[in-house]
Amino acid sequence: MNVAAARRVARPSWVNLRTALGLLLFGTALLGGQRVLAADDSREHIWAATRDIPQDAVLTPDDVELVSVQLPAHLGGIYVDEDAALVGQVATRPVRAGELVASAWLAPTPETAAGRWMTIPVEPEHAVGGALQPGDRVDVLATFDAGNARARTVVLARAVDVLEVVETGALAFGEETVVGVTLEVGPEQASRLAFASRTGAVDVVRVDGPVEQDERAATVRSGDFP
């Protein structure tokens, strides 16, 4: 009995094309996943306030929580990360719910948490038109070397409390009428404000509402603008 020889059926060429396309999609997905993981690796775990914390309050576990954020390089080291123990620390200034907790806002005991009262002179048009009131929260900025290529504006203090406002005309600085704003600041802020008051032009910005997490200390230079 004669048996016909079996013939091998050739694999259709479209199978290879489909396989190649599948491998391409798999590789793309894998690369995308790696990029997502790499981006996640750059995020930090920082302590943030879960509710409004008044000044001089001793922190409890219910006051703070860890949040995952990706901070700009120039903010590295400003905020308290997961390696620090916050419970039992004293808040040296009010902290709003959701704010990241800066190390400069903490002290180990109430005695070391004492704030400084400091009055800085500022022209009314650079202090909300002289409309500041005790109880306001303000940012303080200083511009150095105004008018030349080295000009830069620096944030000196964020969301500090206004304790008192000296009426316009009560202080004189040279020939310019100024308003004196008394602020409660920390030791480092006090030295920066003292220097800026004598060497730069000071602006006071009133803060309404909570401080956004991306509104932190920064320096702006003349070269930043086209």
Side-chain angles (χ1 to χ4, degrees), residues 127-128 130-138 161-165 167 181-182 206:
V128 200
L132 292 174
Q133 298 292 330
D136 286 343
R137 302 182 79 192
V138 297
D161 294 320
V162 176
L163 301 174
E164 184 181 3
V165 177
E167 295 295 332
V181 182
T182 302
R206 185 167 58 197

Side-chain angles (χ1 to χ4, degrees), residues 55 114-120 163-164 181-186 190:
Q55 182 176 335
R116 273 73 172 171
W117 290 24
M118 180 179 189
T119 300
I120 61 172
L163 301 174
E164 184 181 3
V181 182
T182 302
L183 307 172
E184 183 166 14
V185 297

Side-chain angles (χ1 to χ4, degrees), residues 116 118 156 185-198:
R116 273 73 172 171
M118 180 179 189
L156 302 176
V185 297
E188 182 178 353
Q189 292 172 326
S191 60
R192 288 163 60 88
L193 289 169
F195 178 82
S197 296
R198 290 163 174 77

Side-chain angles (χ1 to χ4, degrees), residues 44-67:
E44 303 177 55
H45 291 95
I46 303 296
W47 289 106
T50 59
R51 55 192 180 190
D52 290 347
I53 302 173
Q55 182 176 335
D56 298 330
V58 178
L59 299 185
T60 69
D62 294 332
D63 291 325
V64 291
E65 65 179 354
L66 284 173
V67 296

Side-chain angles (χ1 to χ4, degrees), residues 119 121-122 124 164-173 176-181:
T119 300
V122 59
E164 184 181 3
V165 177
V166 180
E167 295 295 332
T168 303
L171 293 179
F173 183 75
E176 297 178 334
T177 302
V178 300
V179 56
V181 182

Side-chain angles (χ1 to χ4, degrees), residues 9 14 24 51 88 96 103 110 124 152-153 157 187 199-200:
V9 179
W14 61 266
L24 178 61
R51 55 192 180 190
R96 296 286 182 87
S103 57
R152 65 195 186 283
T153 297
T199 60

